[in-house]
Amino acid sequence: MREASAEEGATDYGSDTGRIWVLPVRRHHALLFAWTVLWFVIVEPSGGFSWHYLREGEQLLFTKQGGGGLSLYAHHPELQIGPVSLLAARLFSPFSEHLGQVLAEGTMSVLGLVMLVLVGRTAAWYYRGTGTNHRRLQQRILIAGLAFIPMWIEVSVRFAHMDDVLALFFTMLAVHALVRHKPVAVGIFLALAVDSKPWAISFLPLLLALPRQYWWRTFLWFCGLVAIVWLPFYLGNLGSMAAAKFTIPNQPASSLRWLGVSDPSTPVWDRPAQFAIGLGLGALAVRRGRWPAVVLVGANARILLDPSVYTYYSASILLGTLLWDAVGQRRLVPWWSWIALASLYGGALLVPSDSAKGMIRLAFVVVSTAYVLLWPTKRPRRRGRGTGGRGRGAAGGRRPGTAVERPTLALTPVNAPVGGAPTVPAPGGGRRARGRAAAVGSRT
């Protein structure tokens, strides 16, 4: 009895950990909310740099004038915005231009806080049953969130890029569905991310972290929803392919310059190479059992080969480091989130030389990618029952020295034996254990 109680306490983490008196609000959430409000107030007066693209795009899409409607991307290839993002921007069209912009910026800022909550719950669900200290997890989310928020305000307020915001938000929902073992939801959310911004296809390797038997069904859901949203534009006007060939200037501070690419604008091979490298690195991350690194390496591929150096690009990097710091490793201090903020945001603001900025971006991409793919990491281990929460062998109930091969292309639930194949709880069984796991996820 005493041993079982000790294990339950190690898994449940305590019901009042981190709450503000009797309010169902965590202290780290309140601090992150205040931090977000502070940055919003600072940046908003000069914000909305690109909001006019969203307003123009949604007006063209729904009024069908000036080459709009299903011919939108054929006549306006500069609108590199997915249809789902234009539909979301439509929600703010009833308001005046300024009020609609501020409301959109506020909504996107709140989505950043929601993502931080989802990251915490994702980590709690993934590490359930391992004796992970809940308070340390909250502290890790807080420290990493303090680095994440400035870059999130950059994309959501200063530039008001709703397409990038939604692409990252849906990607985070896909990650959360992944650890909850909901394969259809993973495919749906990844499709919505691509329907918001096409470069989000670099995160597609996340579905490889599912058990192998779910791959095709999830992939078909993904392809179906992407086709439903994008095919009408290409069938309505074959000139829509022009949007894929749209080019931007190759800026002096880009990593491309350090790679020896001196073309004045986007090379013809650049976009396909971005997607190929992102997909390849993501698949390698899953192959090596580091699926929480998929978002980071996919975002790294983007800034490695992108001709532009806008600071809002780094928001995808910070989401990647946040996931790695919270889920991919168990250190209290989330070093990579702060390294990313200092090198990418700090470097852009403080380093005067364009060449030096490009070198810093390239160095961050190479070093962070090599680290998450190659540096040794500790896998979570479930505490075994009847052992006082200490566990024996690979997991509780397994004899020491028993060799079990761990599938390399599957997400291993923490409540399964380490090294074992993914398991799905039997219907009606493990009611008490599932209740505790759900409670842990809801309190992070």
Side-chain angles (χ1 to χ4, degrees), residues 187-349:
I188 291 174
F189 288 133
L190 286 176
L192 289 174
V194 174
D195 293 339
S196 301
K197 189 79 168 182
W199 63 257
I201 197 167
S202 297
F203 307 142
L204 184 59
L206 282 170
L207 69 82
L208 295 177
L210 291 163
R212 188 184 296 268
Q213 63 265 31
Y214 298 115
W215 286 3
W216 277 110
R217 184 175 68 176
T218 304
F219 185 66
L220 289 176
W221 271 96
F222 170 83
C223 292
L225 288 179
V226 170
I228 288 173
V229 172
W230 286 101
L231 271 183
F233 294 95
Y234 291 97
L235 297 179
N237 191 323
L238 295 179
S240 297
M241 291 296 297
K245 302 177 182 179
F246 183 72
T247 62
I248 56 178
N250 185 9
Q251 298 181 0
S254 69
S255 299
L256 274 177
R257 297 285 183 174
W258 270 89
L259 294 175
V261 180
S262 56
D263 299 40
S265 60
T266 311
V268 65
W269 52 265
D270 187 77
R271 300 303 184 191
Q274 277 182 316
F275 296 149
I277 293 175
L279 291 170
L281 290 176
L284 179 60
V286 178
R287 177 77 186 181
R288 291 187 53 79
R290 287 119 188 273
W291 68 266
V294 168
V295 173
L296 177 57
V297 296
N300 277 348
R302 181 191 185 192
I303 70 169
L304 174 68
L305 296 181
D306 205 282
S308 190
V309 292
Y310 291 116
T311 51
Y312 73 84
Y313 287 2
S314 300
S316 57
I317 299 290
L318 266 293
L319 177 60
T321 56
L322 177 64
L323 282 169
W324 178 254
D325 285 331
V327 185
Q329 58 186 7
R330 304 177 70 179
R331 290 190 177 94
L332 173 61
V333 180
W335 292 111
W336 280 106
S337 292
W338 282 95
I339 291 173
L341 180 68
S343 57
L344 300 179
Y345 193 38
L349 297 179

Side-chain angles (χ1 to χ4, degrees), residues 40 92 95 98-109 162:
F40 182 90
F92 302 95
F95 305 97
H98 177 70
L99 179 59
Q101 174 187 315
V102 173
L103 290 175
E105 292 168 354
T107 301
M108 291 185 284
S109 300
M162 182 169 284

Side-chain angles (χ1 to χ4, degrees), residues 412-429:
T412 301
V414 181
N415 63 344
V418 174
T423 61
V424 179

Side-chain angles (χ1 to χ4, degrees), residues 57-72 90:
E58 61 90 3
Q59 290 171 1
L60 288 170
L61 178 61
F62 290 98
T63 60
K64 302 180 181 180
Q65 297 178 358
L70 295 181
S71 299
L72 173 67
R90 183 72 172 177

Side-chain angles (χ1 to χ4, degrees), residues 92-173:
F92 302 95
S93 60
F95 305 97
S96 66
E97 183 173 353
H98 177 70
L99 179 59
Q101 174 187 315
V102 173
L103 290 175
E105 292 168 354
T107 301
M108 291 185 284
S109 300
V110 170
L111 289 182
L113 290 171
V114 174
M115 290 167 65
L116 286 172
V117 174
L118 287 174
V119 170
R121 293 187 175 183
T122 297
W125 188 270
Y126 182 64
Y127 285 112
R128 71 195 187 280
T130 64
T132 298
N133 186 286
H134 191 57
R135 188 179 296 276
R136 284 175 62 88
L137 178 56
Q138 290 181 344
Q139 292 170 348
R140 194 154 70 242
I141 298 297
L142 172 61
I143 298 171
L146 293 175
F148 172 77
I149 289 300
M151 291 313 308
W152 186 255
I153 293 298
E154 195 74 8
V155 67
S156 62
V157 179
R158 188 181 302 280
F159 285 89
H161 267 249
M162 182 169 284
D163 46 348
D164 289 88
V165 166
L166 291 179
L168 295 176
F169 179 68
F170 285 127
T171 299
M172 186 60 239
L173 290 176

Side-chain angles (χ1 to χ4, degrees), residues 319-378:
L319 177 60
T321 56
L322 177 64
L323 282 169
W324 178 254
D325 285 331
V327 185
Q329 58 186 7
R330 304 177 70 179
R331 290 190 177 94
L332 173 61
V333 180
W335 292 111
W336 280 106
S337 292
W338 282 95
I339 291 173
L341 180 68
S343 57
L344 300 179
Y345 193 38
L349 297 179
L350 302 177
V351 176
S353 169
D354 286 336
S355 179
K357 292 178 182 178
M359 182 190 68
I360 292 172
R361 294 168 69 86
L362 179 60
F364 176 85
V365 168
V366 172
V367 173
S368 62
T369 300
Y371 181 88
V372 299
L373 292 180
L374 303 176
W375 195 265
T377 58
K378 293 182 179 180

